């Protein structure tokens, strides 16, 4: 995780007050999601794809990403076989992704 390292380095350099500017993983995900959604909608408008259809694709992609990260976590940690199906959908148990945070 990069955020704690950045905060530690800022503190070591006497710039601990700037640590509040280091974004959390969730904030980075939200910023990237919004930016890519706006870019996607703009590109869809350039090829005359209806906005309703474009937003449906964005929503389907977001749901697929949430389900995929959870399923990937369950499989790679072996929790899929240890937990009950009710516990599979408990978001407090974690998710996984490649190259993030």
């Amino acid at each position: 995780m990069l955020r704690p390292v950045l905060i530690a380095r800022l503190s070591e350099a006497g710039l601990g007050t700037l640590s509040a500017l280091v974004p959390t993983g969730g904030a980075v995900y939200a910023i990237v999601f919004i930016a890519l959604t706006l870019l996607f909608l703009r590109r869809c408008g350039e090829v005359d794809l209806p906005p309703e259809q474009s937003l449906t694709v964005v929503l389907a992609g977001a749901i697929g990403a949430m389900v995929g990260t959870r399923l990937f976590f369950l499989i790679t940690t072996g929790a899929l076989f240890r937990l009950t199906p009710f516990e599979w959908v408990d978001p407090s148990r974690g998710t996984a992704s490649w190259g993030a945070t």
Side-chain angles (χ1 to χ4, degrees):
M1 293 212 238
L2 185 58
R3 186 171 194 270
V5 173
L6 290 174
I7 291 173
R9 296 287 166 92
L10 285 171
S11 295
E12 290 169 7
L15 301 170
T17 55
L18 295 178
S19 64
L21 299 175
V22 179
T24 63
V28 172
Y29 277 129
I31 292 166
V32 169
F33 178 77
I34 291 168
L36 291 178
T37 297
L38 292 173
L39 177 63
F40 178 75
L41 294 175
R42 180 174 169 228
R43 296 286 301 205
C44 287
E46 291 174 1
V47 295
D48 297 324
L49 193 65
E52 299 82 16
Q53 192 174 9
S54 304
L55 288 172
T56 301
V57 170
V58 169
L59 181 61
I63 291 170
M66 288 188 294
V67 170
T69 60
R70 184 67 182 146
L71 186 60
F72 180 70
F73 173 80
L74 291 171
I75 291 170
T76 58
T77 61
L80 184 65
F81 309 105
R82 288 192 319 263
L83 302 175
T84 65
F86 181 73
E87 292 172 316
W88 291 349
V89 295
D90 181 6
S92 67
R93 294 188 178 269
T95 60
S97 60
W98 288 287
T101 63

